[in-house]
Amino acid sequence: EWRPVVLAAASLFAWMRMLRYLLIWSVTGPFVQMIKEMIVTDLFSFLSIFATFAIAMTTATYSMDAESDRSIVKHLRDSFSTILGGLDWDTVDASKFPHVAGLMHIIFVI
């Protein structure tokens, strides 16, 4: 069923459009402009640096675990899960070099 997905996207875009109307009001206009500037400048810079580290971590763990049947997409999912605090130590212990993999994950989180 695709209708809930379309409804969720339409709802998101409707609320984003509401921000345009809040720009007109002198009370909320500067705050909306400030949020827009933060998203465009600061968040974009942070996400590009973050993506570089995430891809580096993914390729490093994938190259250490290249002989297994896990795809690079699963390694990327594990890297993002590690950032969110969901590190699966069983996966780290099952790798070919568990101590190096564990140390890499800890450094990546810090």
Side-chain angles (χ1 to χ4, degrees):
E1 182 83 19
W2 54 270
R3 292 179 72 190
V5 175
V6 173
L7 181 62
S11 174
L12 180 68
F13 288 126
W15 282 105
M16 297 289 253
R17 186 174 175 93
M18 180 68 174
L19 289 175
R20 286 184 50 208
Y21 294 119
L22 290 175
L23 269 172
I24 300 170
W25 195 20
S26 64
V27 175
T28 58
F31 293 114
V32 173
Q33 187 66 29
M34 180 178 60
I35 291 170
K36 177 183 154 196
E37 289 297 319
M38 282 192 302
I39 289 173
V40 170
T41 58
D42 298 335
L43 190 62
F44 181 73
S45 300
F46 171 76
L47 287 178
S48 60
I49 293 169
F50 174 76
T52 303
F53 281 108
I55 292 170
M57 178 66 179
T58 300
T59 54
T61 57
Y62 180 72
S63 63
M64 282 195 319
D65 200 22
E67 296 174 1
S68 73
D69 58 346
R70 298 183 69 228
S71 68
I72 195 163
V73 175
K74 289 184 181 178
H75 283 277
L76 182 63
R77 185 192 64 203
D78 288 345
S79 294
F80 283 115
S81 178
T82 299
I83 294 165
L84 298 175
L87 176 60
D88 184 17
W89 285 105
D90 294 332
T91 305
V92 173
D93 290 338
S95 71
K96 191 173 182 181
F97 306 101
H99 299 296
V100 176
L103 183 64
M104 282 176 39
H105 281 291
I106 289 170
I107 291 171
F108 182 58
V109 169
I110 293 173

